[in-house]
Amino acid sequence: MTVPVAAPRALRWLDRHVILLVWAGVIVLFGVLRPDIFLTELTVKTVLADQAITCALAVGLTLALAAGVIDLSFAAMAGLSMVIVTKLSITTGLGVLPSALIAIAACAGLGLVTAFLVTWLRVDSLIATLGMMSVATGLTMKLTAGTTLTGKFSDSFAAFGQGYWGPFPRPFGYAVVLGVAGYVVLEHTPAGRRILAVGSNIEAARLTGIRASGFQVTAILASSIVAAAVGVVLAAKIGQATDTTGTGYLLPVIAAVFLGSTQFKGRVNVAGSLVSALAIGTGIKGLQLIGATPWVADFFNGAVLLLAVAFAARRRRQ
């Protein structure tokens, strides 16, 4: 008896697109449990606004992971950038654009230090970025002095982070634009293919003539600059800054990217990261609407991360 070829193909397709079915299931579940508030335009806008920062940071982390760099510093970089912009608005007469450029330049400088450690001194990226995360967090604590900074921002800058493009929150629009750019670079350019080759097998990439260190530096810088730009958007979105705001995005973004790496392509990819971030965010919002306590969000993100790592390990064995 012969086994139909279509069945294994269908199972493989399902294996790589299960996140779409899970997302749909989450929507149906909470739509049934709380149809009065979950299936509303307000909830959709809230989920998109809440996940905009996670999605944008996920793009930066995806670029780093594509080059084989495990970046743990991105969330602290975003927090540092946010605090720098807010602090400068309070203590100086600089406009928003110069302040934003200073914040981005500061994070890019820290990213260059990380790149030097990883590519020149061959420090493991996990250790290097963990150390840089601590450095960025320490600088953030120094600037805030343990207080909440309330920025002196113009109405136009507040609209930059709080306004809407049609029915969509502006920060989510920025995340979509960034995601499209990241997708095109990784999937449809020679540079993106080389980055993926470096991340897949750095020694094999070097043997084929690819300057692996150069692409890793580029990926680390891209992650740092994206995080810094996201920090500027956060400053406009919230209007205040603390030393813990940025680091709160560490686990949600990592969970989304690792889960996304098991979907669509069977490797780290921008589309998987963005869809996973939205699916996780939808689940958390549903849990909040049915009265779940605040600790559920961290528990949910941690469980998703563990499941994603287990799923990826199973796929590698196969």
Side-chain angles (χ1 to χ4, degrees), residues 201-210:
N201 191 322
I202 189 170
E203 294 303 327
R206 287 187 177 123
L207 291 174
T208 60
I210 297 175

Side-chain angles (χ1 to χ4, degrees), residues 16-261:
R16 291 194 174 187
H17 296 80
V18 69
I19 186 64
L20 298 176
L21 298 179
V22 171
W23 192 10
V26 167
I27 293 173
V28 171
L29 173 63
F30 291 112
V32 170
L33 292 176
R34 293 303 305 266
D36 54 329
I37 54 176
F38 185 77
L39 298 178
T40 63
E41 181 182 355
L42 177 60
T43 297
V44 173
K45 288 182 177 180
T46 303
V47 170
L48 294 182
D50 289 347
Q51 295 306 304
I53 301 301
T54 301
C55 287
L57 289 173
V59 175
L61 179 58
T62 298
L63 293 174
L65 283 176
V69 177
I70 302 176
D71 185 5
L72 297 181
S73 65
F74 66 89
M77 292 280 196
L80 176 61
S81 172
M82 178 188 185
V83 166
I84 290 175
V85 171
T86 306
K87 185 82 170 180
L88 289 175
S89 75
I90 299 171
T91 59
T92 72
L94 290 175
V96 171
L97 182 58
S99 299
L101 292 176
I102 290 172
I104 292 172
C107 292
L110 295 179
L112 281 175
V113 174
T114 303
F116 173 79
L117 294 172
V118 173
T119 60
W120 285 35
L121 300 183
R122 303 294 175 87
V123 177
D124 185 274
S125 61
L126 181 67
I127 303 301
T129 58
L130 181 63
M132 189 54 69
M133 177 182 72
S134 183
V135 169
T137 301
L139 291 173
T140 302
M141 294 175 68
K142 169 64 177 176
L143 291 173
T144 60
T147 62
T148 298
L149 303 179
T150 301
K152 296 180 179 179
F153 298 129
S154 64
D155 292 339
S156 59
F157 183 62
F160 173 73
Q162 301 170 13
Y164 283 82
W165 282 339
F168 301 105
R170 282 192 179 183
F172 183 72
Y174 307 147
V176 170
V177 171
L178 182 62
V180 170
Y183 172 81
V184 171
V185 168
L186 273 186
E187 306 295 340
H188 296 286
T189 66
R193 288 191 288 271
R194 288 180 173 85
I195 288 174
L196 290 169
V198 171
S200 176
N201 191 322
I202 189 170
E203 294 303 327
R206 287 187 177 123
L207 291 174
T208 60
I210 297 175
R211 293 184 57 204
S213 60
F215 285 103
Q216 284 193 322
V217 169
T218 300
I220 293 170
L221 269 179
S223 179
S224 299
I225 291 172
V226 167
V230 170
V232 175
V233 176
L234 261 177
K237 183 174 184 288
I238 300 176
Q240 295 180 325
T242 68
D243 54 15
T244 60
T245 303
T247 54
Y249 289 95
L250 180 64
L251 185 57
V253 173
I254 291 177
V257 173
F258 272 83
L259 178 59
S261 69

